[in-house]
Amino acid sequence: MARDESLTPFPLNTDLLGAANPQVWGDYWPRPQGFDALLSRFFEAPIEDASLPQIWCYTDRLSYRPGETVAIHGCASRDRASLTIYRDGLRMQPAATFDDVSMAFQMPPADFMETGCDWPAILHWRIPDSAPSGFYVIRARIADDRGGWREQDHGFFVLPARPGENAPILLIAASSTWAAYNDWGGACSYAAAQQPQGLPFAPRLSIHRPYARGFIWLPDNAPRKIADHSPKPGEIPRYPQFEFALQRGYSRYYANAGWASFERPFAFWAEREGYRLDFACQHDLHFTPDLLDSYSCIVIVGHDEYWSWEMREAIEDYLRKGGHVARFAGNFAWQIRLEEQGRVQVCYNRLARSHDPLMHTPQQQRVTACWEDPLIGWPGAKTLGLNGLWGVYAGFGSMVANGSGGFTVYRPQHWAFAGTGLGYGDVLGGSARIFGYEVDGLDYCIRDGLPLPTGRDGAPADVQILAMGPAYNRETRQGLRGEATYLPDETAYFALCRYGADTPQNRERAARGSGMIANMAFGAGEVFNAGTIDWVAGLIRRDAATEQVTRNVLNRYSRR
């Protein structure tokens, strides 16, 4: 089906920087600067001029079972629209087509980021009892004034009717991270046009709003977050994904999260390789943890930055019973809370200590800060073997810009590297640039040429570090004319979480991090953790060693 590539309307008069309460800005939420300050003014949103072709939709839930009914809510500037629903995959499977759907135009309420868009249901679709598990895309279209189309994609998960019967592997999509980065309407966990509670971001986000453009579908040549080459001496670092987003009307966060950038390419690769997958999302993990019990292998892919306490408990319970978790993902960082039966996601991020209402209450451990924050004290390594804030940045901007692009192998005899031909000191995935843009690591030491966890960061003593590389948490300027940086210095909060105190010495220590591949036992189960966001780049670019490691893990854990 031909795609509409015209630009989406953007409001250009929003200043996200000047109106915020100055008391919330500071070391733990640095004011955007340089390129990021410019990008903050651009987002996809309805424009009150209904003569412009505009269409959006969303569903009442994130996932359903066969036989249940999907309520699709929408808004359009034309009175008729067409909707196509299909299961995404190498062979797209049309599920339903509706050519004459009644539509109306309605601006969302002022507090839509928390309460939802409150648009009427335009269609109810009953999922067939025989529908296979998968991610189903809704493509909504209206005619424009030039004989073409304006279209928008949304999506939802169909859970298996009989879990584990047709597939030994369950892919858990990072729906919490999708919600955090979805800036549709100008609000997400990183920016907010309307300054809720005087904050520079939205701490409460409703799932009842569309996904921003680029979260569900992307053209094949859309740039990824990691640069595809190292900068030459004297060359200013570039941010191709931002250039693409601004030029083509995509969300500036499209490369950070979403089906299109991460789960979709993994699912396509797995299908091509003959693996059978069922699909669910983190919200299912939160509310129906027993779903996991029917699978020998759980797969997590891409950017899984945001987790609830209940999600982690579900994973640990599954592992204790003998389950296997294959994580090809990075940046395990923030605790969230799900409220109103999962319709609202809460995260106060770096400002949790000053703004989260659970502070100084008996529930303070559920404060939505970083997992390594002493307030919570449940480092990610205790569940998955690696910690988020002992990474974080690589291959992005000027942070490890001229690194190898992959993991240096230290334990080539490990079963995960069988058939790769890699030896000690070789680099895994370097040509495909799989290392970054955020990675997870540990506090470690080198003994007899091998990295070992010190345990000072909460890591279990039996974690095996199989491969690793350096990360850096300051995007420094090189003094080049015309240079602009994207990320500010984030070491203040990292120092607090890693070492318990924000001091100049600890900030310097927190500037350095690592990304690792780790393996550990957990109860009767086992975890393989490739702690990088962009592992899927190795599958997209058909890097032989990255593909072989992925096969080794999936084959072992799914008992293929």
Side-chain angles (χ1 to χ4, degrees):
M1 182 179 294
R3 302 291 312 200
D4 166 45
E5 282 300 300
S6 58
L7 291 178
T8 300
F10 284 87
L12 304 182
N13 59 351
T14 301
D15 181 2
L16 296 183
L17 307 181
N21 180 347
Q23 293 180 356
V24 307
W25 298 96
D27 288 337
Y28 298 154
W29 195 278
R31 186 182 294 266
Q33 58 187 359
F35 200 18
D36 193 33
L38 169 66
L39 290 167
S40 296
R41 293 169 168 83
F42 292 85
F43 52 84
E44 182 180 5
I47 295 176
E48 292 193 39
D49 182 357
S51 66
L52 294 170
Q54 304 175 62
I55 184 168
W56 291 281
C57 69
Y58 60 87
T59 55
D60 61 326
R61 287 157 50 190
L62 300 181
S63 60
Y64 307 83
R65 294 185 183 276
E68 294 184 330
T69 297
V70 181
I72 303 173
H73 298 251
C75 160
S77 58
R78 302 290 187 267
D79 59 4
R80 289 290 183 271
S82 67
L83 269 66
T84 301
I85 302 173
Y86 63 89
R87 183 186 183 277
D88 206 3
L90 289 177
R91 293 169 295 279
M92 292 185 180
Q93 303 174 25
T97 300
F98 305 90
D99 291 324
D100 191 29
V101 179
S102 179
M103 303 290 295
F105 186 79
Q106 177 182 322
M107 293 292 290
D111 59 349
F112 78 93
M113 74 282 287
E114 177 179 350
T115 63
C117 288
D118 196 28
W119 292 336
I122 59 172
L123 182 67
H124 291 86
W125 179 61
R126 184 184 181 279
I127 301 171
D129 294 336
S130 60
S133 180
F135 187 72
Y136 285 66
V137 174
I138 305 168
R139 182 168 300 164
R141 278 183 160 192
I142 57 171
D144 62 20
D145 297 327
R146 300 174 295 171
W149 300 93
R150 171 74 61 178
E151 59 185 32
Q152 182 247 344
D153 290 333
H154 198 74
F156 58 90
F157 291 92
V158 171
L159 304 176
R162 293 175 293 278
E165 184 173 299
N166 297 313
I169 301 172
L170 180 67
L171 189 149
I172 300 289
S175 54
S176 301
T177 304
W178 297 13
Y181 281 95
N182 179 20
D183 66 336
W184 187 93
C188 68
S189 292
Y190 298 87
Q194 297 177 24
Q195 309 285 315
Q197 303 177 35
L199 296 171
F201 60 93
R204 299 176 59 83
L205 292 166
S206 172
I207 66 169
H208 286 171
R209 56 191 182 120
Y211 283 119
R213 196 174 192 209
F215 275 60
I216 305 301
W217 180 88
L218 285 168
D220 291 340
N221 65 342
R224 302 190 69 78
K225 191 86 175 250
I226 299 177
D228 60 6
H229 69 282
S230 299
K232 299 175 183 178
E235 185 177 80
I236 295 174
R238 296 180 65 176
Y239 309 88
Q241 79 285 359
F242 295 144
E243 298 169 17
F244 176 85
L246 291 175
Q247 182 186 39
R248 303 302 303 167
Y250 286 82
S251 167
R252 67 175 172 135
Y253 297 112
Y254 83 80
N256 294 60
W259 171 255
S261 287
F262 298 106
E263 287 88 356
R264 187 177 197 254
F266 185 91
F268 279 33
W269 178 87
E271 183 179 345
R272 190 167 52 240
E273 292 283 317
Y275 292 100
R276 291 174 288 118
L277 307 181
D278 281 343
F279 294 80
C281 68
Q282 283 180 303
H283 286 62
D284 300 305
L285 189 61
H286 180 102
F287 290 107
T288 56
D290 58 343
L291 175 66
L292 304 183
D293 294 342
S294 300
Y295 297 90
S296 59
C297 178
I298 303 301
V299 172
I300 304 161
V301 178
H303 196 180
D304 64 337
E305 184 174 359
Y306 293 82
W307 289 69
S308 70
W309 188 282
E310 291 81 359
M311 294 171 191
R312 286 191 65 177
E313 285 185 324
I315 289 290
E316 291 197 355
D317 185 59
Y318 167 76
L319 286 166
R320 288 189 192 96
K321 297 174 183 176
H324 301 86
V325 174
R327 181 176 182 256
F328 305 102
N331 195 215
F332 192 94
W334 304 100
Q335 177 169 216
I336 62 164
R337 296 192 297 272
L338 295 182
E339 299 181 357
E340 299 184 22
Q341 292 76 53
R343 293 190 297 271
V344 175
Q345 178 168 306
V346 180
C347 187
Y348 285 84
N349 209 285
R350 291 168 179 81
L351 301 183
R353 287 170 170 261
S354 56
H355 287 76
D356 195 314
L358 294 192
M359 279 295 296
H360 311 299
T361 74
Q363 295 179 294
Q364 183 167 287
Q365 201 173 21
R366 299 296 184 96
V367 163
T368 54
C370 181
W371 291 109
E372 291 97 328
D373 193 311
L375 288 172
I376 301 173
W378 191 10
K382 290 188 176 296
T383 302
L384 293 171
L386 296 176
N387 287 318
L389 289 199
W390 289 80
V392 186
Y393 302 108
F396 175 60
S398 62
M399 295 164 290
V400 199
N402 288 283
S404 70
F407 290 92
T408 299
V409 175
Y410 283 88
R411 289 181 167 85
Q413 72 280 4
H414 190 271
W415 57 261
F417 299 125
T420 64
L422 294 171
Y424 179 89
D426 288 344
V427 174
L428 167 66
S431 60
R433 302 183 72 81
I434 68 172
F435 189 81
Y437 69 97
E438 291 171 335
V439 294
D440 295 349
L442 296 173
D443 187 49
Y444 68 96
C445 63
I446 298 289
R447 185 178 304 157
D448 298 327
L450 296 175
L452 301 169
T454 66
R456 290 180 298 191
D457 55 356
D462 62 346
V463 173
Q464 287 192 81
I465 301 171
L466 311 181
M468 60 177 292
Y472 197 62
N473 299 321
R474 286 184 180 140
E475 189 172 19
T476 55
R477 291 177 181 256
Q478 307 299 313
L480 303 173
R481 184 178 181 184
E483 184 179 22
T485 55
Y486 171 68
L487 286 176
D489 186 339
E490 299 194 287
T491 56
Y493 185 68
F494 291 4
L496 175 68
C497 292
R498 281 201 199 177
Y499 308 113
D502 174 17
T503 66
Q505 180 184 15
N506 285 343
R507 289 191 187 191
E508 187 62 31
R509 297 164 69 193
R512 297 180 292 273
S514 61
M516 296 176 173
I517 298 176
N519 178 222
M520 73 173 190
F522 191 116
E526 188 175 337
V527 175
F528 176 89
N529 192 347
T532 175
I533 285 177
D534 224 24
W535 182 273
V536 293
L539 307 182
I540 294 169
R541 294 163 181 160
R542 306 306 302 265
D543 178 75
T546 305
E547 290 187 296
Q548 186 59 43
V549 171
T550 310
R551 293 188 197 102
N552 290 343
V553 176
L554 296 184
N555 292 346
R556 179 184 177 94
Y557 284 1
S558 68
R559 305 185 179 95
R560 183 173 175 175

